[in-house]
Amino acid sequence: MNAARQVLALAGGVGGGKLARGLAAVLLPDNLTLVVNTADDFVHLGLHISPDIDSVLYALADLNDSVQGWGLAGDTDHVMDALARLGGDTWFKLRDRDLATHLLRTQKISEGYSLSQVTQLIADRLGVGHRVAPMTDAPVSSVVDTERGYLAFQDYFVRQRCAPIFYGVRFEGAALAEPSAAFVAALECADAIVICPSNPFLSIDPILALVGVRAHLESSRAPVIAVSPIVGGNAVKGPLAKMMGERKIPPTSLSIARHYSSMVQGWLIDAADRDEAAAIESLGCAVRVTRTLMTTPEDKSQLAEAALDFAADLARQNS
Ligand code: FO1
């Protein structure tokens, strides 16, 4: 187990879930808080869906479908098949066992639970000991600006498969949304803050857009370490490189470092991008080159250890 005291990690979906799993493998439950993007949340078929929270919870419980990247391994589609026969909406697949999570979350929210409370309940029931918290309990929604106009996030991401040209994204509700209580507590006592290799535009920026979060990170005494989601000019998974191309931003780790700018003190980039290290350092941060691809459980733990060691070294230099 790593000696780090309190670690706060900011995570989105797939990339977030993988590093979250690594951090959970090397840190005791009391030493880690995972704060997860909720700007992808929406109501579908009457159910409250929190895709990124579920990706992180399923990854921590070792129940995730690692091939598909979302949902539960070995799940089936009887409900969606039956719904298709009835002419219902099946563009967003709520698979059979995954449905149980959405049903329970929706029931509890209708009974008055906050998203934080219901997340804790589901985590407990899945046997997840590490703290997983939504970024906020307030409603925040990503709205994507595209060549086809403004699109609700899941319409852009799933229904239209990120095909429309991406111009930008706004986070409705974020400017007035307070971070969740667990997020505030973790910001106040963190010794290290880790930004997971999630999509910066879609998964991390909504977290940074909440009241006070960006300012807190910019003045944080705890080192902020980020893992680049780009490897060798491409995104490990998902539409990030395509979106960067459409915004005329080169798909490099250097571009991602410029995007987060002064907020990050330490960058972990992949060996494939070692040529970019000097340019990233010239932005005023430290860089370490390592393997950032996470295929095996060992990859996840090693990357988590690398991030924590980096944070500890930077904290020593600052003191
Ligand atoms: N992603 C898809 O590409 N297609 C789906 O049908 C789909 C269903 C789905 C259901 C529950 C859930 O928690 C996630 C789901 N996702 C699906 C993934 C998800 O929409 C995105 O990966 C995230 O919102 C982006 O992080």
Side-chain angles (χ1 to χ4, degrees):
M1 285 288 149
N2 192 283
R5 282 168 298 160
Q6 288 300 325
V7 177
L8 163 62
L10 309 183
V14 182
K18 285 184 176 181
L19 188 57
R21 184 67 191 85
L23 288 164
V26 303
L27 288 165
L28 294 168
D30 283 350
N31 292 346
L32 176 63
T33 301
L34 288 151
V35 166
V36 184
N37 171 41
T38 57
D40 302 4
D41 289 22
F42 74 136
V43 173
H44 185 61
L45 302 176
L47 300 176
H48 184 116
I49 317 294
S50 294
D52 286 1
I53 288 181
D54 290 346
S55 289
V56 170
L57 287 176
Y58 293 165
L60 294 192
D62 289 328
L63 294 170
N64 58 308
D65 183 332
S66 56
V67 178
Q68 184 173 239
W70 50 270
L72 290 160
D75 211 344
T76 51
D77 291 307
H78 300 299
V79 172
M80 286 293 108
D81 291 347
L83 190 61
R85 259 194 312 277
L86 294 172
D89 247 352
T90 56
W91 62 271
F92 193 84
K93 278 167 70 175
L94 298 180
R95 309 194 75 197
D96 298 334
R97 287 191 297 128
D98 183 39
L99 256 173
T101 307
H102 312 307
L103 288 167
L104 185 71
R105 176 180 290 117
T106 306
Q107 181 205 344
K108 292 296 171 188
I109 286 175
S110 77
E111 288 171 10
Y113 278 52
S114 66
L115 188 58
S116 290
Q117 288 169 326
V118 74
T119 301
Q120 185 60 56
L121 179 82
I122 296 169
D124 290 345
R125 292 185 178 169
L126 292 177
V128 171
H130 295 79
R131 251 184 317 274
V132 177
M135 63 179 194
T136 181
D137 283 310
V140 175
S141 303
S142 292
V143 177
V144 187
D145 184 8
T146 76
E147 59 171 335
R148 296 182 196 164
Y150 285 102
L151 301 175
F153 178 81
Q154 298 295 353
D155 185 8
Y156 165 76
F157 199 89
V158 174
R159 198 195 317 232
Q160 306 205 37
R161 297 163 197 257
C162 307
I165 294 171
F166 171 80
Y167 298 147
V169 57
R170 65 167 196 259
F171 309 115
E172 273 180 5
L176 296 175
E178 299 287 339
S180 63
F183 190 4
V184 172
L187 279 170
E188 280 166 4
C189 67
D191 300 301
I193 299 174
V194 177
I195 301 181
C196 292
S198 303
N199 186 313
F201 304 113
L202 301 180
S203 298
I204 303 297
D205 282 357
I207 305 178
L208 303 178
L210 302 175
V211 175
V213 171
R214 186 177 287 274
H216 200 112
L217 262 65
E218 277 169 352
S219 61
S220 163
R221 71 169 177 85
V224 179
I225 306 295
V227 179
S228 175
I230 295 281
V231 174
N234 220 324
V236 176
K237 198 165 168 53
L240 175 59
K242 175 181 182 287
M243 293 166 65
M244 291 175 83
E246 290 164 355
R247 291 268 305 265
K248 314 274 184 264
I249 303 168
T252 61
S253 291
L254 175 61
S255 301
I256 305 288
R258 286 203 178 108
H259 179 78
Y260 288 130
S261 93
S262 57
M263 197 181 309
V264 174
Q265 283 87 57
W267 273 99
L268 277 170
I269 63 170
D270 195 80
D273 298 327
R274 64 170 68 252
D275 291 353
E276 294 177 40
I280 298 173
E281 278 166 354
S282 73
L283 301 175
C285 47
V287 177
R288 275 191 192 167
V289 177
T290 185
R291 175 182 159 85
T292 63
L293 278 178
M294 292 177 280
T295 314
T296 64
E298 293 71 34
D299 292 336
K300 294 172 193 167
S301 305
Q302 278 165 17
L303 188 57
E305 290 279 14
L308 300 177
D309 289 349
F310 198 4
D313 290 347
L314 290 177
R316 263 192 295 278
Q317 284 169 28
N318 292 344
S319 64

